[in-house]
Amino acid sequence: MENDETVVASPSPVEDVTRRVALLLRDNFPSAKSEFSGAASLREIGLDSLDVVDLVWTIETEFGIKFTDDELQAIISLDALAELVVRKSGS
């Protein structure tokens, strides 16, 4: 009898953070689009400047990290945000 084990690759840390941030967006920001790519800017997702402040606070709380102003200004996409979270959290 053959062993038909299916190997499922774990998501990369960036993919995992992107998924978690997408869930935070869905659950906390009704103005955010329901579907978007990682390359989308926060504005393209549908967040205004106050939403971005709230999202940053939510992410800092969720992941136990703090962003500097310079780091926040460098975020150009959801993927860039996820990469920053991974770097800051050591994931």
Side-chain angles (χ1 to χ4, degrees):
M1 188 165 182
E2 289 183 31
N3 187 356
D4 281 341
E5 284 188 34
T6 303
V7 177
V8 178
S10 308
S12 73
V14 171
E15 291 169 332
D16 183 52
V17 169
T18 300
R19 181 190 58 77
R20 289 174 63 187
V21 170
L23 290 173
L24 290 172
L25 285 166
R26 184 196 69 201
D27 294 345
N28 297 296
F29 300 92
S31 63
K33 293 180 181 177
S34 60
E35 293 193 22
F36 44 82
S37 74
S41 71
L42 299 178
R43 183 169 300 257
E44 291 169 333
I45 292 170
L47 302 182
D48 63 23
S49 58
L50 291 177
D51 289 335
V52 171
V53 170
D54 286 343
L55 176 63
V56 166
W57 180 83
T58 301
I59 289 171
E60 288 177 333
T61 302
E62 175 78 15
F63 291 93
I65 59 176
K66 280 293 208 190
F67 297 114
T68 66
D69 290 340
D70 289 340
E71 289 169 332
L72 293 174
Q73 290 178 1
I75 296 171
I76 58 171
S77 66
L78 183 57
D79 284 342
L81 176 59
E83 289 169 7
L84 178 59
V85 170
V86 168
R87 278 197 316 272
K88 299 284 288 184
S89 65
S91 297

